[in-house]
């Protein structure tokens, strides 16, 4: 699990003014955490326990300076419950998961143990895109036409009723997996013939406009929008995300309307603690909900919040769950972004070391990664997991950020 390169220590939120914690210290149980999550808990002075499932895409290295429980929590949460009961933390404790699987498991385990955290129903609500969209439409008056389908015939009929173009995607999908734009009945027929329908799908109207994500953090006192993130995608038919920039400034009326939709979404789900990532389309008729998640945004968006604005969503959730005061944040207003790189698919990817080291040394670059193993041909990009690599960078202005990202991408693909 590589560390995130940190251009300056000032790019990390300062927690040195936190009051001393009572003894025994609260215990944060972290589910296959990234290095940033462990660092956040340690800066807060919490007692840290890491629950490590070997099947998680986020590996846990050996030698961590904390208690490590090796447990298959993804497939067997009951094992984690048994292990934590045996551990019996002396003071307040809670389980924290900041990924798609971890957030839901943390909620369920906390309820079983009587520990504070989000209600499991909230995380379940985020996974059901159709039900959440219906609830938000009722609350915010922003309906989007959709139908939930369990088989090919239902999907065929739904597409005909909603009209073309329309979009089909799994009800509980993530990472652009299974998302497809259907522009004609013939295209729909060809695509549906290949869908297994082992789970429910939603067919929905195609929304046109500018697509954004909204990063927020929730406490029992309410929801606070941290930033609006601009995104770029591959476009039709799969709409795989290729880059993000935050924060961006919207027209005040649009910002107020977007905030209302996000607040209605988080209220409808019942999220009480921690970060969320809500995707909206700003159409000519106003903002429309695409989907929402009770976790930080992927694609290093949580890192970008820290780099640009000094917002540490991991620490904020832990403080809120344990009822601890949050220190004043140092004012910072930079711009951060990520760009996904696309290599020549006819040429094997070269060894990573030289290219990534060179890019990491460029101005503004915070992280660089190549996902395709050296010597292999890059795959076509039809879902997020197919992307070839990325660069994260910062700048004092949008123009400086774009120049830093362009230079880094150009250098990496030429290496």
């Amino acid at each position: 699990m590589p560390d995130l390169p940190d251009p300056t220590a000032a790019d990390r939120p300062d927690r040195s003014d936190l009051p001393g914690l009572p003894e025994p210290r609260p215990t944060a149980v972290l589910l296959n955490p990234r290095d940033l999550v462990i660092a956040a808990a340690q800066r807060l002075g919490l007692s840290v326990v890491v629950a490590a499932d070997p099947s998680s895409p986020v590996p846990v290295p050996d030698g961590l300076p904390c208690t490590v429980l090796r447990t298959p929590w993804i497939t067997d949460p009951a094992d984690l419950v048994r292990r934590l009961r045996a551990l019996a933390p002396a003071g307040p404790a809670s389980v924290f998961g900041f990924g798609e699987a971890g957030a839901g498991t943390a909620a369920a385990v906390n309820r079983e143990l009587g520990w504070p955290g989000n209600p499991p129903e909230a995380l379940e609500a985020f996974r059901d895109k159709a039900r959440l969209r219906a609830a938000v439409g009722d609350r915010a008056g922003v309906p989007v036409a959709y139908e939930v389908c369990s088989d090919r015939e239902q999907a065929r009929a739904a597409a005909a009723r909603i009209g073309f173009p329309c979009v089909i995607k799994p009800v509980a999908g993530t990472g652009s997996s299974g998302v497809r734009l259907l522009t004609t009945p013939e295209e729909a027929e060809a695509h549906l013939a290949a869908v297994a329908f082992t789970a429910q799908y939603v067919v929905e109207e195609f929304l046109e406009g500018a697509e954004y994500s909204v990063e927020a953090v929730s406490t029992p006192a309410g929801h606070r929008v941290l930033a609006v993130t601009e995104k770029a995608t591959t476009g039709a038919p799969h709409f795989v995300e290729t880059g993000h920039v935050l924060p961006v400034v919207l027209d005040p009326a649009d910002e107020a309307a977007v905030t209302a939709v996000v607040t209605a979404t988080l209220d409808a789900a019942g999220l009480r603690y921690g970060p969320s990532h809500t995707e909206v389309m700003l159409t000519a008729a106003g903002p429309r909900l695409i989907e929402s998640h009770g976790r930080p945004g992927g694609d290093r968006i949580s890192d970008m919040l820290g780099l640009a604005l000094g917002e540490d969503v991991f620490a904020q959730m832990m403080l809120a769950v344990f009822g601890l005061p949050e220190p004043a944040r140092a004012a910072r207003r930079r711009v951060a972004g990520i760009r996904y790189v696309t290599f020549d698919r006819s040429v094997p990817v070269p060894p990573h070391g030289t290219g990534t080291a060179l890019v990491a040394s460029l101005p503004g670059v915070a992280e660089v990664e190549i996902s395709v193993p050296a010597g292999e041909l890059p795959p076509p990009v039809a879902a997020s997991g197919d992307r070839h690599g990325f660069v994260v960078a910062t700048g004092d202005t949008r123009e400086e950020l774009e120049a830093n990202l362009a230079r880094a991408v150009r250098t990496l693909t030429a290496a």
Side-chain angles (χ1 to χ4, degrees):
M1 181 167 57
D3 290 338
L4 176 72
D6 197 345
T8 66
D11 279 334
R12 296 290 187 202
D14 180 13
R15 304 295 172 187
S16 59
D17 57 347
L18 277 170
L21 294 178
E23 292 293 343
R25 294 178 297 163
T27 296
V29 180
L30 310 177
L31 304 183
N32 280 77
R34 291 182 57 213
D35 55 322
L36 271 78
V37 180
I38 298 174
Q42 291 173 332
R43 281 196 304 274
L44 297 178
L46 304 177
S47 177
V48 177
V49 174
V50 169
D53 187 325
S55 70
S56 170
V58 181
V60 172
D62 295 326
L64 288 178
C66 60
T67 300
V68 177
L69 304 178
R70 303 287 174 178
T71 170
W73 60 262
I74 294 176
T75 56
D76 188 7
D79 181 74
L80 177 59
V81 170
R82 289 190 294 269
R83 302 288 296 277
L84 292 176
R85 280 188 172 133
L87 189 65
S94 185
V95 182
F96 298 89
F98 293 100
E100 199 73 39
T105 297
V109 171
N110 282 329
R111 171 168 288 179
E112 182 68 21
L113 294 171
W115 292 355
N118 278 310
E121 296 82 7
L123 282 303
E124 293 166 6
F126 285 112
R127 285 194 289 269
D128 190 333
K129 295 178 174 63
R131 187 177 69 177
L132 184 61
R133 176 169 286 169
V136 172
D138 291 341
R139 286 171 178 258
V142 287
V144 176
Y146 72 91
E147 293 187 31
V148 177
C149 309
S150 301
D151 58 39
R152 193 169 293 108
E153 186 55 41
Q154 289 180 2
R156 184 184 297 116
R161 282 190 291 268
I162 290 171
F164 296 94
C166 59
V167 174
I168 185 170
K169 59 186 178 184
V171 164
T174 60
S176 301
S177 179
V179 177
R180 179 80 184 200
L181 175 68
L182 307 175
T183 59
T184 65
E186 293 75 21
E187 184 177 347
E189 195 61 39
H191 177 71
L192 293 174
V195 176
F197 284 96
T198 54
Q200 288 187 318
Y201 278 71
V202 60
V203 176
E204 61 190 23
E205 67 174 288
F206 175 61
L207 299 171
E208 294 188 84
E211 187 175 355
Y212 299 96
S213 66
V214 181
E215 321 315 324
V217 66
S218 299
T219 70
H223 315 294
R224 182 169 67 93
V225 170
L226 306 179
V228 176
T229 304
E230 182 180 283
K231 68 167 64 179
T233 75
T234 57
H238 300 294
F239 303 99
V240 180
E241 293 166 358
T242 58
H244 306 271
V245 172
L246 70 78
V248 296
V249 179
L250 301 180
D251 172 87
D254 288 337
E255 182 178 359
V258 166
T259 298
V261 170
V262 171
T263 299
T265 300
L266 301 178
D267 283 344
L271 190 70
R272 290 179 53 81
Y273 294 104
S276 59
H277 173 76
T278 303
E279 299 173 18
V280 297
M281 184 74 74
L282 190 52
T283 73
R288 297 293 184 265
L289 174 66
I290 298 175
E291 60 188 48
S292 186
H293 304 272
R295 55 159 174 78
D299 293 354
R300 295 301 198 259
I301 285 177
S302 56
D303 304 42
M304 291 158 53
L305 286 169
L307 292 167
L309 303 175
E311 298 280 7
D312 185 337
V313 296
F314 310 118
Q316 288 176 38
M317 182 175 185
M318 294 178 206
L319 289 168
V321 166
F322 291 127
L324 300 173
E326 184 178 350
R329 290 178 296 277
R332 185 183 310 148
R333 189 74 177 184
R334 304 186 74 200
V335 188
I338 185 171
R339 288 289 180 275
Y340 282 87
V341 299
T342 302
F343 291 104
D344 184 344
R345 293 190 51 232
S346 67
V347 180
V349 171
H352 299 173
T354 302
T356 55
L358 178 59
V359 172
S361 69
L362 295 174
V365 172
E367 184 179 12
V368 56
E369 180 178 296
I370 298 175
S371 306
V372 183
E376 292 190 8
L377 291 173
V381 178
S384 298
D386 300 327
R387 295 174 299 192
H388 302 167
F390 65 83
V391 175
V392 176
T394 61
D396 288 329
T397 65
R398 177 69 181 264
E399 292 72 21
E400 181 179 87
L401 169 66
E402 294 294 351
N404 290 343
L405 286 169
R407 183 189 306 114
V409 170
R410 185 168 59 248
T411 303
L412 187 61
T413 55

